C-alpha cells in the first residue's frame, strides 16, 4: 500500500472511501493545438524536439524530459514539469515523487512501463523547481497536445493544479477538482494531487489511494 510506503518514509495517515463508477468513452481525433502535420510516432517526435529552445528553459535545462511508458497506453499521466532528478536523467518521475507514483500504481494492479505513459506539461525543468510561467506553458503545450494525439488515450490523469489548469483551461482550486472525472475531448480526465504533495502532506495520501482506485474502476470500465 502507498500509505505503508509513506509510513516507511515516516510520512502518513488514514481513512479511505470507495469511488463511484464512471461511464467509458472513446475518442479518435487530432487534438486542437497539436503540431501539424502530426509526427509519425512518439520516437520521431521526441527526436525532433530534443534541441528545442522555444522558451528560456531550453537554455537552463540539462535534458529535455519528453515522456516515458507505453506509446499504446490507455492512461496518460500529466505532471507539471521535470524536477532536478528528472532533468539529470532525462526521464519523468524518477525521484521520490516518482517512486510514490509507482507505488500508487502497483497498489491498484498497474505496471508503470506497460500500462501507462507519463509526461509533463513542460518538457524542461524550471530553475529551482519554481512554478511554470504561463508563457512557458503556452509555448510548450503543443508538444503535450501532440503526444496526446499520438497516444490517443482513454483516460488522462492530471497530477496537480498546474497540469489540470494547463490541460483543462480552468483555474479552479485543487479542492474543487481533485477526485473528479471531467469529460475533455472525448476522454475522461481525472484530477488528483501531484505525488510530491503527499511527500509534504503525508496525512492526505488517502486522497491518492482513493483516486487511484477510481482510476482502476475507470480503466476496468473501458471497452
Ligand atoms: S520547456 Fe518546452 S518550449 Fe521550452 S525549451 Fe523546453 S521543450 Fe522547448
Amino acid at each position: 500500500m502507498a500509505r505503508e510506503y509513506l509510513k516507511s518514509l515516516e510520512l502518513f495517515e488514514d481513512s479511505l472511501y470507495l469511488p463511484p463508477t464512471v461511464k467509458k468513452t472513446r475518442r479518435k481525433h487530432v487534438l486542437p493545438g497539436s503540431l501539424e502535420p502530426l509526427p509519425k510516432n512518439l520516437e520521431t517526435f521526441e527526436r525532433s524536439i530534443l534541441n528545442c529552445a522555444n522558451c528560456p528553459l531550453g537554455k537552463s535545462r540539462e535534458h529535455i524530459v519528453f515522456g516515458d511508458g507505453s506509446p499504446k497506453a490507455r492512461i496518460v499521466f500529466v505532471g507539471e514539469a521535470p524536477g532536478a532528478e528528472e532533468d539529470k536523467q532525462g526521464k519523468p518521475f524518477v525521484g521520490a515523487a516518482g517512486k510514490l507514483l509507482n507505488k500508487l500504481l502497483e497498489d491498484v494492479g498497474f505496471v508503470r512501463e506497460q500500462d501507462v505513459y507519463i509526461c509533463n506539461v513542460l518538457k524542461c525543468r524550471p530553475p529551482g523547481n519554481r512554478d511554470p510561467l504561463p508563457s512557458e506553458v503556452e509555448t510548450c503545450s503543443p508538444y503535450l497536445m501532440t503526444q496526446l494525439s499520438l497516444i490517443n488515450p482513454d483516460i488522462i490523469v492530471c497530477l496537480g493544479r498546474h497540469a489540470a489548469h494547463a490541460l483543462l483551461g480552468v483555474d479552479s482550486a485543487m479542492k474543487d477538482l481533485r477526485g473528479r472525472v471531467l469529460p475533455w475531448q472525448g476522454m475522461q480526465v481525472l484530477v488528483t494531487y501531484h505525488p510530491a504533495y503527499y511527500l509534504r502532506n503525508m496525512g492526505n495520501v488517502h486522497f491518492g489511494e482513493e483516486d487511484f482506485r477510481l482510476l482502476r474502476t475507470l480503466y476496468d470500465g473501458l471497452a
Side-chain angles (χ1 to χ4, degrees):
M1 296 282 287
R3 64 179 57 202
E4 280 154 5
Y5 170 74
L6 282 179
K7 206 172 180 181
S8 73
L9 300 176
E10 298 181 356
L11 311 167
F12 151 83
E13 239 240 352
D14 63 333
S15 114
L16 299 167
Y17 84 103
L18 280 174
T21 55
V22 181
K23 209 169 178 286
K24 65 179 188 270
T25 57
R26 186 72 176 153
R27 167 197 66 90
K28 238 338 185 192
H29 69 273
V30 176
L31 293 168
S34 299
L35 296 183
E36 289 180 25
L38 203 62
K40 197 170 130 207
N41 54 43
L42 282 180
E43 269 181 80
T44 54
F45 178 37
E46 180 175 7
R47 277 200 299 274
S48 75
I49 67 163
L50 281 179
N51 296 315
C52 178
N54 288 352
C55 85
L57 299 181
K59 289 202 175 77
S60 56
R61 69 164 183 250
E62 194 171 326
H63 291 106
I64 275 210
V65 181
F66 180 77
D68 189 33
S70 168
K72 294 183 179 162
R74 302 188 80 177
I75 303 171
V76 172
F77 283 82
V78 180
E80 63 183 69
E85 199 51 43
E86 288 77 16
D87 184 42
K88 243 186 243 161
Q89 296 191 33
K91 285 196 166 178
F93 287 88
V94 288
K99 289 192 173 85
L100 177 56
L101 177 64
N102 294 349
K103 195 74 189 78
L104 287 161
L105 283 167
E106 279 169 26
D107 285 351
V108 292
F110 290 122
V111 177
R112 170 169 165 167
E113 297 75 18
Q114 289 171 21
D115 297 323
V116 306
Y117 187 88
I118 302 177
C119 60
N120 288 296
V121 174
L122 295 187
K123 309 307 179 202
C124 304
R125 181 192 181 214
N129 288 350
R130 63 156 168 75
D131 288 348
L133 300 176
S135 60
E136 294 162 352
V137 171
E138 191 183 338
T139 308
C140 206
S141 65
Y143 294 164
L144 174 63
M145 293 304 157
T146 303
Q147 278 176 307
L148 294 173
S149 291
L150 289 168
I151 299 167
N152 190 31
D154 295 279
I155 302 167
I156 297 175
V157 183
C158 289
L159 296 169
R161 75 187 162 96
H162 291 293
H165 292 180
L167 195 77
L168 300 169
V170 298
D171 61 359
S172 314
M174 271 304 283
K175 67 178 174 51
D176 299 321
L177 292 170
R178 183 247 128 205
R180 290 181 61 194
V181 180
L182 305 161
W184 182 80
Q185 297 289 337
M187 292 173 262
Q188 298 176 113
V189 175
L190 171 62
V191 182
T192 189
Y193 286 110
H194 193 287
Y197 167 84
Y198 299 120
L199 295 173
R200 296 190 304 268
N201 301 275
M202 49 215 174
N204 288 340
V205 72
H206 61 95
F207 289 137
E209 292 173 329
E210 288 162 16
D211 295 344
F212 276 66
R213 286 205 306 273
L214 174 55
L215 174 63
R216 184 77 228 189
T217 301
L218 293 174
Y219 181 84
D220 290 344
L222 297 173

